[in-house]
Amino acid sequence: MNFIAPDRTETESLRIRTAARVVSRFAAERADALDRTGGFPARDVVECHEAGLLAAPLPVALGGSGLDAPAMAPVLLNVLAEVGRGSLALGRLYEGHVNALSLILRYASEPVLRRLVADIHAGHLFGVWNTQPQAGGLVLDPHGTGELAGVKSFASGAGAVTRPLVTARRPDGRQQMLVVSLEPGTRADLSSWCAHGMRASTSGVLDFTGLPVAAQAAVGEADDYFREPHFSGGAWRFTAVQLGGIEAVFDSLRAHLVATGRGGDPHQAARLGEAAIAVETARLFVGRAAALASDPDAEPARVIAYVNLTRLAVERAGLDVLERAQRSVGLAGFLQTHPLERLMRDLATYLRQPGPDRALTHAAAHVLADARTADALWRDPGTNDPADLQPGRAA
Ligand SMILES: Cc1cc2nc3c(=O)[nH]c(=O)nc-3n(C[C@H](O)[C@H](O)[C@H](O)COP(=O)(O)OP(=O)(O)OC[C@H]3O[C@@H](n4cnc5c(N)ncnc54)[C@H](O)[C@@H]3O)c2cc1C
């Protein structure tokens, strides 16, 4: 673990949160103009780099802000939520970058790490591309020529991410993580990304066929990508970005009620109150999930189950806020001229994440088999866990 003196940690936390707020504000201003096929937020990504956000997940010793340290999880939460609040598309891209760095820090060998850290400081955007079509997924060296074959789908930042971390099937059938070097604007097909929302995430198809695999592309051993509890537990980070998107819809709903003078009506007040409960529920869940998933001493099974519950709790909160916003604002909120229109499409789209039913039933199976009483399911009674007292609070 990375040791940082408390005063330095606090200064850096404040600096990086302020940077996230500034980047988020500019991203929010540009988001409507980028809401189209191929509308990648290139300027926002450059600002992330210039503000130190791309390097922030690295340890201080590697020139980052130390957001990889367990104690910095609340700060990372706030940074992810802040970026997502300004632009969910940028939040998705940034979360992919943070996820890639976390895998690289955990599994890369020293020389690979050193090379990739230099790329991070040079401003390369990373991402994690695991999803692929059932047929035609990515294969490592199928013809013994040292090349890749196949595609990744729903690849956020396709054509702009120049250092994707991908999973590729090895000849023995297991999955190998590789960080591949791509030239901007090459190999991407965005024609399939004609999405309801999240258009600026440019989550298209990337064809790797014929791309030579560099000797130092491999990160970790076979199937490390799926190692638990990190694989399932890491999902807390996308819930933090979703939280930002939920908060943006909530703020827009409230602004509408204030501007139209309709907030005092008892029906409108009740819906706003319910939406406020949903937002806070999401924030409390994400705060607790971040604390648990970042605690090296936490029980792995408990981490996985809690993060799975968090995914569903945040999805529910998002759907609740969307419903309240649609009913409270009415048809005006569906017009492209209303700020809610894109915010709601982006959130509805980004709430779609893999296997939600499985996440819920997996958590239920954990609870069923756990003999501890309800008060002790997720925390050890008698311990004063700071995360319980102040979930999600910035350090
Ligand atoms: C904006 C955006 C950006 C993305 N970017 C990336 C990226 O950069 N990299 C990447 O790897 N992926 C990315 N993804 C893809 C993402 O990781 C998921 O693969 C995708 O969101 C899955 O959504 P889905 O609704 O199709 O999930 P599914 O898992 O297909 O779920 C759809 C429904 O089917 C149910 N279901 C799932 N499996 C089964 C089954 N076997 N039998 C019966 N029912 C089942 C689910 O519970 C759910 O109800 C992105 C997704 C989005 C929305």
Side-chain angles (χ1 to χ4, degrees), residues 21 58 94 104 130 133 169 181 194 222 259 308 321 366 374:
R21 198 166 306 130
L58 294 175
Y94 185 61
I104 289 162
N130 176 52
R169 184 162 54 79
S181 295
C194 42
N308 276 333
V321 172
H366 171 85

Side-chain angles (χ1 to χ4, degrees), residues 5-317:
D7 52 343
R8 187 167 170 192
T9 305
E10 268 172 40
T11 311
E12 189 54 20
S13 302
L14 191 63
R15 191 194 71 75
I16 209 69
R17 283 201 62 190
T18 307
R21 198 166 306 130
V22 172
V23 165
S24 171
R25 208 178 56 231
F26 286 121
E29 285 172 11
R30 297 184 189 115
D32 278 336
L34 295 169
D35 177 37
R36 56 185 159 79
T37 306
F40 181 78
R43 183 68 223 151
D44 299 342
V45 172
V46 169
E47 285 177 4
C48 281
H49 171 50
E50 290 170 353
L53 287 173
L54 293 189
L58 294 175
V60 174
L62 295 177
S65 303
L67 293 191
D68 62 310
M72 295 289 267
V75 183
L76 179 57
L77 185 167
N78 280 307
V79 167
L80 289 166
E82 189 78 65
V83 176
R85 190 160 40 245
S87 158
L88 263 188
L90 181 66
R92 160 79 280 269
L93 291 159
Y94 185 61
E95 193 275 329
H97 178 88
V98 173
N99 189 12
L101 269 53
S102 150
L103 288 162
I104 289 162
L105 286 170
R106 186 175 299 281
Y107 297 118
S109 64
E110 194 56 37
V112 173
L113 177 66
R114 224 175 310 120
R115 181 173 59 79
L116 295 177
V117 164
D119 287 348
I120 294 159
H121 286 297
H124 284 281
L125 182 62
F126 287 59
V128 176
W129 296 344
N130 176 52
T131 309
Q132 57 191 23
Q134 273 191 338
L138 193 59
V139 186
L140 176 60
D141 200 18
H143 312 299
T145 54
E147 293 176 345
L148 290 165
V151 307
K152 286 292 177 186
S153 51
F154 297 140
S156 289
V161 164
T162 44
R163 294 292 183 274
L165 184 152
V166 296
T167 46
R169 184 162 54 79
R170 305 178 352 158
D172 64 3
R174 301 167 78 195
Q175 295 288 328
Q176 177 66 52
M177 282 186 279
L178 305 167
V179 175
V180 178
S181 295
L182 293 174
E183 288 301 317
T186 62
R187 295 176 173 272
D189 178 1
L190 301 181
S191 60
S192 58
W193 189 242
C194 42
H196 172 67
M198 296 295 279
R199 292 170 185 160
S201 70
T202 57
S203 303
V205 171
L206 204 298
D207 191 347
F208 293 85
T209 305
L211 192 73
V213 183
Q216 289 199 337
V219 169
E221 304 296 325
D223 290 339
D224 271 353
Y225 177 75
F226 300 102
R227 256 211 262 167
E228 296 287 17
H230 313 295
F231 176 64
S232 301
W236 79 261
R237 288 186 296 260
F238 74 65
T239 67
V241 180
Q242 289 174 332
L243 168 65
I246 295 169
E247 289 174 340
V249 170
F250 176 85
D251 284 340
S252 186
L253 159 64
R254 185 180 41 183
H256 178 94
L257 290 178
V258 170
T260 55
R262 290 182 162 188
D265 171 80
H267 301 283
Q268 297 284 19
R271 276 193 293 267
L272 188 65
E274 288 164 355
I277 291 170
V279 171
E280 186 59 9
T281 302
R283 189 164 269 278
L284 292 171
F285 257 103
V286 178
R288 178 77 192 153
L292 256 186
S294 310
D295 179 354
D297 300 324
E299 292 172 33
R302 192 189 240 180
V303 170
I304 296 169
Y306 194 87
V307 172
N308 276 333
L309 284 188
T310 300
R311 286 185 48 184
L312 272 294
V314 172
E315 184 204 32
R316 185 69 262 156

